[in-house]
Amino acid sequence: MQDSRDKTAVDAEGRSRLEAIGFMIAAVVLFSALDATAKYLVTREGLPVVQVVWARFVVQFSGLLLMVPAFGVMSTRALFTTSKLSLQLVRSCLMVATTAFNFMAIEHLRLDQAITIVFLAPLVVALLAGPLLGEWVGRRRFIAILFGFTGVLVAVRPGFGAVHPAVVYAFAAMLAYALFMLLTRYMARYDRPLVTLFYSMFVGTFAGAPIAFASWQAPESALAWILLGTLGIFGGLGHWLFLHAYQRAPASSIAPFLYMQLLFMVAFGFAIFGDLPDSWTLAGAGIIVASGVYLIHREREAARGRR
């Protein structure tokens, strides 16, 4: 009888982990579609970046405001209830900055180039978690982080060719995203995930509205209007799947699948824009991904040692 219960528990854990992996892969597909759509609207439809950024937030904010109370998940009042208002506002501004800098970068860079630089964010998080959160990395993980940074040098090749100035935007997006993730980890101790997600959309919608209206340019095609609407859907559904993935399995089991986003970025880049990554970008991305996966492995080993 005990063996039967143990087998049932193992089977349930296995199904939960497979569901989590499926959610994570679906999330990165949607995030890739978000970036590809934003690049299309800016480069092919000629819309201002700030307008595209604002559309991404206002659609998702409206959806959360309507759907979360409607499905009985939380009340509207509960969405605004936080024990760390100032930190929520700072984190939300970092989310807006991440989106804005990322969209500014992909206006000029290939999708695979931009995501390669953004992949540095988990390494920066591991590096900064010590002084900011007291979560210090060991010697091996520190070496892995330094190894990952060499991957960006390989991908960008400063001094060996024409480096587009937009890489600065990509690095700014990566740094803002790293700080955003650190604050997200900290805020998880105090507020529910939906509250944290809601504040990001709230700040992005209302802080960005004056700038978006000042530079507003009416889309000339029905397709552009539709794509503007899908930005919030891709972002909102992607984050919902992302959160549920982490609820169903340990982070160490599903985090490596984040790096599948490179494959989807390449696919979207080729299908829509005819772009293909060069060998240097692929080599640099490979170094960064290997470093990230190793860090995840070391965190898993450290967690086992604490048990």
Side-chain angles (χ1 to χ4, degrees):
M1 180 66 75
Q2 181 65 40
D3 290 343
S4 177
R5 285 197 296 268
D6 290 344
K7 184 177 184 304
T8 301
V10 170
D11 289 344
E13 182 181 351
R15 285 194 300 271
S16 181
R17 188 162 300 189
L18 285 175
E19 288 177 358
I21 291 171
F23 284 151
M24 179 60 74
I25 293 173
V28 298
V29 170
L30 290 168
F31 292 149
S32 301
L34 172 65
D35 283 356
T37 302
K39 182 176 178 67
Y40 182 89
L41 286 168
V42 172
T43 60
R44 298 289 176 84
E45 296 290 340
L47 297 182
V49 172
V50 66
Q51 179 177 337
V52 176
V53 172
W54 184 73
R56 177 251 192 276
F57 283 100
V58 71
V59 173
Q60 189 171 343
F61 172 73
S62 302
L64 280 172
L65 196 61
L66 293 173
M67 295 180 65
V68 171
F71 283 97
V73 180
M74 292 178 70
S75 66
T76 302
R77 182 175 181 177
L79 285 172
F80 282 97
T81 303
T82 173
S83 57
K84 297 284 184 179
L85 179 60
S86 59
L87 289 180
Q88 283 288 11
L89 295 177
V90 171
R91 179 191 171 278
S92 300
C93 289
L94 287 170
M95 176 66 172
V96 175
T98 300
T99 304
F101 282 127
N102 184 47
F103 286 2
M104 291 165 69
I106 61 179
E107 180 181 3
H108 304 285
L109 302 179
R110 297 193 312 266
L111 293 173
D112 60 273
Q113 290 175 315
I115 195 62
T116 296
I117 295 173
V118 171
F119 277 164
L120 272 180
L123 306 185
V124 174
V125 168
L127 194 63
L128 295 180
L132 295 181
L133 299 179
E135 301 172 4
W136 297 95
V137 298
R139 178 174 55 87
R140 292 180 181 178
R141 280 185 279 180
F142 182 74
I143 293 173
I145 291 169
L146 294 181
F147 183 66
F149 278 102
T150 65
V152 169
L153 296 179
V154 172
V156 177
R157 307 191 308 284
F160 293 93
V163 179
H164 198 286
V167 297
V168 175
Y169 297 139
F171 275 104
M174 180 276 297
L175 183 58
Y177 185 48
L179 295 172
F180 165 82
M181 286 194 290
L182 284 167
L183 261 183
T184 300
R185 183 184 298 179
Y186 179 77
M187 291 302 299
R189 307 170 188 173
Y190 301 99
D191 291 339
R192 296 173 64 177
L194 267 178
V195 171
T196 302
L197 176 62
F198 179 79
Y199 266 94
S200 300
M201 301 305 107
F202 174 77
V203 171
T205 297
F206 288 95
I211 307 172
F213 289 150
S215 60
W216 184 266
Q217 179 179 318
E220 296 181 357
S221 67
L223 176 62
W225 281 107
I226 294 171
L227 292 179
L228 278 174
T230 62
L231 290 172
I233 297 173
F234 290 149
L237 185 56
H239 275 100
W240 184 84
L241 291 169
F242 186 84
L243 292 172
H244 277 266
Y246 277 98
Q247 287 177 351
R248 281 170 165 74
S252 59
S253 299
I254 57 177
F257 292 92
L258 276 169
Y259 294 109
M260 290 188 69
Q261 188 169 358
L262 176 62
L263 300 178
F264 298 119
M265 286 291 229
V266 170
F268 279 117
F270 177 70
I272 301 173
F273 307 103
D275 292 335
L276 281 175
D278 55 39
S279 57
W280 290 100
T281 301
L282 289 177
I287 293 171
I288 296 170
V289 169
S291 301
V293 171
Y294 179 76
L295 281 177
I296 294 166
H297 167 71
R298 291 299 303 171
E299 288 178 5
R300 182 187 298 174
E301 293 297 314
R304 286 175 179 171
R306 289 193 295 268
R307 290 174 187 168

